[in-house]
Amino acid sequence: MKQEKKFETESQQLLDLMINSIYSEKEIFLRELLSNASDAIDKYRYLSLTESDKYPTKSHQIRIDVDKKARTISVTDDGIGMSLEDMEKNLGTIAKSGSKEFMSKIKDAKEKDDLSIIGQFGVGFYSAFMVGDSVEVLSKTLGGEAHRFYSEGKSTYTIEDTEFDQDSGTKVIVHLKKDTDDLKYSDYLETYRIENLVKKYSDYIRYPIKMLVTVSKQDRDDEDKPVDGKYHDEIEDKTLNSMIPLWKKSVNDVKQEELDEFYKSKFMDYEKPLLSLNVHVEGLYTYEALLFIPSRVPSNLYSESYEQGLSLYSKGIFIQDHYKDLIPDYLRFVKGLVDSDDFPLNVSREMLQKTPEMAKIAKNIENKIIAELKKTKKNDEEKYLKFFDMFGEHIKYGIYSSYGMKKEELQDLLLFHHLNDEKLISLEDYVKNMKKGQKDIYFATGKTLDEIKTLPQLESKKKDGVDVLLLDKNIDEFCIMAMVEYDKKTFKDVSSEKDEVSKEKKEELDRLASENKRILDNIKEGLSGKVDDVVFSAKLVDSPVCITTKDGISMNAERVINEEPGQKENLKSTKVLEINPDHELFKALADVSSDEQIKDYGSVLYDEAMLLQGYDIEDKAEFVKKLNSLLIKAAKA
Ligand code: ADP
């Protein structure tokens, strides 16, 4: 029975784009069909290992056939095949994430007219419509019925029963478009063209891609000796690809461009990777891995649709994609594959997760990535800054989420903004530049760099030229807390109440406090419930007050934690109002006789400090009322 169906809207749009693609991009259709064929065989092979009673092992191949008269080029595989439902689901809708990404890029108005980037995406099966005015797909699953999909790339396709002379597999037949004055589609019927395309894009496919080719052979005489000058044509079933997966080739034989191309096609990125590692390890355990760090943040990295993990191969056989246990969470942006003879093949996926080899290889991979990042940081600053800008927070997360256990490995990958310079600084350099006698590593936190830089509690540090790390990312403070110290130097928050002051300074502040007890007590009383203490400060130069916190969580941590979705209990920091004894405002305050008025001053100063430090005033009406009453008094005086 023949059924006519409509493509889903998005597929329709993609098809339209394919049909209008520019000529130079069209050739990738063969790459896409061959990689689908190879995937289908991978799936079959996996089943023949796990369900060997149902799926007999066979030696697979992919065939390319051309028919010059009929102007068709077809790709046939003996892989898993598709059932009727598979055909509808897989060919009637956009399956490939690469296609989806391409669609969203192209919808972006700016790029509407520029389809030249098509070739950089894995646009999949629909790419056949770049060169074909109609496409047929014959397919059959093992023990199932054969079906024929047919479409002219318009809004509909048909599916009907058919005959297909194979146990299982798929044949995609592309009916090439007519040649025009400048578009020679018939080129794709030429052996040399196909051979070149296979070498260029699909050489590493691990199954033989075969094609019948006509070769000119020298005639031989009765004694099997070549006859000079006499040739005849012979048909040869030629394997067009080398079949050696890139990662099985010796490291020196693999060019950077090959790694780049491999990354782009396997991981559907149109940009080459920022970093690539070709790892071959032999010894206690043996494995090969190709690991890549993308040169842009994957668009869905922070959404649930992002599938983290590496592709897993055993003895060159594909087992599964997105294998999570091979890469720690904090390196979730790393893409790649691992192949090891040590992974037992004929076990269930669940068992595989538990092998000790797997854990060791995973640790080794993590170490390789860290080592490569350290190397890059040392040798290629620009590249490392690009990396850190995109993925630096993941490194911090690695320290935080391991409760500091990964500190030793990761701390020297960190970079921070800091007070004394625009450029990011490493902890190592911070420590090198510390002032004589400086014991701690100072840091200041807040929502934005601009906000942090204006914190009053930085004033004395600025005056003394002491550098301070400026932590503007939510994860920063938590990472630092998990580290506790670096190079035996403690991290110290400039917004914490405790201060490193000289003995003389301390005595002076104590004396001031006892002399001005009435003022401090009144302010404290006025701010009861808001601050735990009111003290004189050594942190301030130009500002009258600042708010700091006692041991326990900082105001910044309080903000970050309470912003966290699902955070129920409202965590509170213990605040202290610190007063600058040298400030005019305080000196003026000393002359105010009314206790109530001092309380009002204290309250307004507190709210001002909150504002300046990037926080909201709790009771805005109260603030305005108090401020106005003080203004009136000042105006009258
Ligand atoms: P992708 O291969 O990325 O999923 P495609 O648009 O190329 O995207 O193909 C869609 C789906 O169609 C595939 O996921 C696969 O399930 C199915 N498919 C395509 N070609 C074949 C094939 N040769 N054999 C079996 N299934 C196929």
Side-chain angles (χ1 to χ4, degrees):
M1 200 188 69
K2 191 162 173 170
Q3 307 177 32
E4 181 161 309
K5 311 224 171 226
K6 269 191 159 337
F7 283 108
E8 64 160 7
T9 328
E10 234 187 353
S11 305
Q12 182 58 52
Q13 291 167 343
L14 184 56
L15 277 168
D16 291 346
L17 288 172
M18 291 298 138
I19 290 162
N20 297 318
S21 62
I22 60 162
Y23 190 65
S24 63
E25 298 293 336
K26 290 177 190 284
E27 63 179 33
I28 58 142
F29 85 97
L30 192 61
R31 168 190 87 188
E32 298 294 298
L33 296 184
L34 290 171
S35 102
N36 279 353
S38 165
D39 287 350
I41 298 176
D42 278 344
K43 287 178 192 157
Y44 184 101
R45 284 197 75 175
Y46 182 74
L47 290 175
S48 72
L49 295 165
T50 51
E51 296 175 42
S52 53
D53 44 335
K54 271 198 241 150
Y55 291 86
T57 42
K58 44 184 176 183
S59 67
H60 294 269
Q61 56 165 287
I62 300 168
R63 294 208 69 84
I64 299 178
D65 295 293
V66 291
D67 183 334
K68 285 195 173 175
K69 262 210 204 102
R71 291 178 60 80
T72 58
I73 171 168
S74 52
V75 173
T76 311
D77 67 70
D78 50 7
I80 183 120
M82 280 180 276
S83 65
L84 179 81
E85 296 76 42
D86 292 340
M87 271 189 166
E88 275 183 36
K89 190 174 77 179
N90 298 334
L91 306 183
T93 60
I94 296 185
K96 206 160 191 158
S97 57
S99 318
K100 289 198 169 143
E101 191 166 341
F102 172 69
M103 289 293 287
S104 66
K105 260 258 139 56
I106 219 77
K107 275 182 192 155
D108 198 351
K110 271 183 281 167
E111 287 175 86
K112 268 242 158 68
D113 301 326
D114 182 16
L115 294 180
S116 66
I117 51 170
I118 274 186
Q120 299 161 350
F121 288 81
V123 276
F125 167 72
Y126 291 152
S127 61
F129 288 96
M130 298 205 286
V131 295
D133 49 24
S134 67
V135 177
E136 269 178 88
V137 183
L138 310 179
S139 195
K140 188 178 165 195
T141 56
L142 199 68
E145 302 293 328
H147 294 97
R148 173 179 178 269
F149 164 102
Y150 176 81
S151 174
E152 293 177 355
K154 311 261 165 58
S155 56
T156 61
Y157 60 90
T158 58
I159 297 185
E160 64 190 315
D161 294 344
T162 191
E163 293 294 316
F164 187 34
D165 182 24
Q166 271 187 205
D167 297 337
S168 75
T170 302
K171 177 172 191 160
V172 180
I173 307 162
V174 182
H175 296 261
L176 292 175
K177 295 182 189 180
K178 287 206 177 60
D179 288 358
T180 64
D181 283 350
D182 29 53
L183 302 180
K184 294 268 174 290
Y185 293 98
S186 41
D187 249 13
Y188 296 117
L189 299 166
E190 300 300 335
T191 306
Y192 77 92
R193 183 80 167 110
I194 294 173
E195 282 192 85
N196 280 344
L197 286 179
V198 170
K199 274 271 169 256
K200 180 169 172 190
Y201 292 117
S202 311
D203 192 53
Y204 60 84
I205 285 193
R206 283 162 299 117
Y207 309 106
I209 301 170
K210 293 194 157 199
M211 186 169 70
L212 296 177
V213 298
T214 309
V215 284
S216 180
K217 291 241 161 120
Q218 208 168 0
D219 288 358
R220 287 178 176 263
D221 63 15
D222 295 345
E223 282 154 35
D224 205 25
K225 290 220 180 79
V227 184
D228 271 354
K230 288 214 156 189
Y231 290 86
H232 65 281
D233 282 351
E234 259 180 42
I235 305 257
E236 190 186 312
D237 197 13
K238 190 173 175 188
T239 300
L240 309 181
N241 54 332
S242 78
M243 286 191 288
I244 304 173
L246 208 51
W247 61 93
K248 289 281 184 193
K249 291 184 181 170
S250 104
V251 174
N252 295 332
D253 288 347
V254 180
K255 295 197 211 78
Q256 186 59 45
E257 296 86 72
E258 289 179 274
L259 286 174
D260 291 350
E261 277 309 317
F262 177 83
Y263 165 80
K264 289 202 279 187
S265 74
K266 168 121 179 115
F267 299 104
M268 294 177 218
D269 197 344
Y270 54 89
E271 269 176 61
K272 60 184 189 184
L274 186 71
L275 284 173
S276 40
L277 279 82
N278 186 354
V279 183
H280 288 228
V281 172
E282 250 173 276
L284 277 178
Y285 40 85
T286 299
Y287 75 88
E288 295 97 32
L290 298 179
L291 305 166
F292 303 96
I293 295 180
S295 41
R296 62 197 179 104
V297 181
S299 56
N300 59 346
L301 185 63
Y302 298 103
S303 82
E304 265 179 37
S305 70
Y306 183 81
E307 291 184 281
Q308 116 188 34
L310 304 177
S311 300
L312 190 65
Y313 289 77
S314 176
K315 302 187 177 70
I317 297 171
F318 171 78
I319 303 193
Q320 83 175 89
D321 272 331
H322 309 300
Y323 196 84
K324 286 200 183 61
D325 292 11
L326 280 169
I327 198 98
D329 244 7
Y330 76 94
L331 294 177
R332 70 201 305 260
F333 54 86
V334 175
K335 304 203 179 221
L337 60 86
V338 184
D339 190 341
S340 174
D341 291 2
D342 291 339
F343 300 155
L345 243 187
N346 47 355
V347 293
S348 72
R349 292 174 190 197
E350 296 74 55
M351 284 205 30
L352 199 55
Q353 293 178 4
K354 293 187 185 103
T355 67
E357 288 85 0
M358 181 70 80
K360 281 189 203 122
I361 290 177
K363 185 67 207 153
N364 198 262
I365 286 174
E366 182 183 353
N367 292 345
K368 295 266 176 205
I369 295 170
I370 295 172
E372 182 69 19
L373 288 173
K374 285 188 177 157
K375 204 174 97 195
T376 310
K377 180 164 173 274
K378 204 166 140 220
N379 301 333
D380 190 342
E381 191 186 348
E382 197 184 329
K383 199 181 241 186
Y384 190 76
L385 284 174
K386 189 165 182 220
F387 161 78
F388 198 79
D389 183 44
M390 294 190 290
F391 303 116
E393 287 187 57
H394 292 254
I395 304 297
K396 296 171 193 165
Y397 176 75
I399 295 177
Y400 166 65
S401 63
S402 67
Y403 306 103
M405 260 145 57
K406 290 194 194 289
K407 174 184 142 169
E408 292 300 324
E409 296 154 82
L410 299 179
Q411 61 190 4
D412 285 318
L413 289 176
L414 298 178
L415 294 175
F416 295 99
H417 290 284
H418 63 129
L419 196 58
N420 286 359
D421 187 34
E422 289 297 314
K423 275 170 68 181
L424 296 172
I425 195 170
S426 66
L427 293 172
E428 193 186 350
D429 285 342
Y430 179 96
V431 168
K432 255 189 229 151
N433 299 341
M434 272 167 58
K435 289 265 163 211
K436 225 174 147 211
Q438 182 184 344
K439 288 203 211 85
D440 301 324
I441 300 175
Y442 291 108
F443 69 91
T445 57
K447 269 186 283 191
T448 64
L449 279 183
D450 285 342
E451 221 167 77
I452 302 172
K453 283 184 192 160
T454 55
L455 283 176
Q457 41 271 61
L458 283 178
E459 285 169 359
S460 66
K461 298 279 181 298
K462 282 181 188 163
K463 194 175 118 208
D464 300 339
V466 173
D467 204 4
V468 179
L469 302 176
L470 308 178
L471 311 186
D472 62 330
K473 304 279 189 310
N474 280 354
I475 183 83
D476 284 344
E477 187 177 348
F478 297 92
C479 166
I480 292 250
M481 287 299 148
M483 287 169 73
V484 186
E485 53 171 43
Y486 174 86
D487 193 17
K488 301 207 180 74
K489 310 205 167 36
T490 317
F491 289 102
K492 193 143 178 286
D493 190 348
V494 296
S495 300
S496 99
E497 184 215 5
K498 281 201 202 107
D499 225 342
E500 216 177 87
V501 286
S502 62
K503 208 166 139 272
E504 298 83 68
K505 186 83 192 161
K506 173 133 197 351
E507 280 169 11
E508 189 198 327
L509 292 177
D510 285 347
R511 180 179 53 76
L512 276 168
S514 63
E515 281 171 18
N516 296 284
K517 194 167 177 324
R518 181 183 71 95
I519 298 179
L520 296 187
D521 284 351
N522 273 318
I523 296 178
K524 192 171 162 183
E525 203 187 309
L527 290 174
S528 86
K530 288 183 176 164
V531 303
D532 197 63
D533 213 350
V534 178
V535 300
F536 284 116
S537 177
K539 296 185 176 72
L540 301 165
V541 177
D542 300 317
S543 297
V545 292
C546 70
I547 301 170
T548 58
T549 52
K550 292 197 165 180
D551 286 344
I553 67 165
S554 70
M555 283 168 75
N556 183 61
E558 172 187 326
R559 171 183 67 82
V560 174
I561 292 169
N562 291 333
E563 271 171 12
E564 203 106 310
Q567 176 62 30
K568 281 192 202 75
E569 56 182 318
N570 200 21
L571 289 176
K572 275 233 164 294
S573 55
T574 312
K575 298 186 187 64
V576 175
L577 183 73
E578 297 199 22
I579 295 179
N580 179 357
D582 301 322
H583 198 278
E584 282 235 62
L585 229 147
F586 173 73
K587 288 184 180 148
L589 212 57
D591 295 333
V592 177
S593 55
S594 151
D595 287 355
E596 283 315 303
Q597 207 174 325
I598 288 179
K599 282 180 195 155
D600 283 355
Y601 272 111
S603 169
V604 170
L605 285 172
Y606 170 85
D607 285 342
E608 268 182 10
M610 284 297 270
L611 272 184
L612 201 57
Q613 288 174 219
Y615 296 89
D616 240 0
I617 291 177
E618 274 169 53
D619 191 341
K620 295 189 182 68
E622 188 65 17
F623 168 71
V624 171
K625 207 173 105 196
K626 282 179 179 156
L627 185 62
N628 287 349
S629 103
L630 291 173
L631 286 175
I632 291 166
K633 280 197 187 91
K636 279 186 183 157

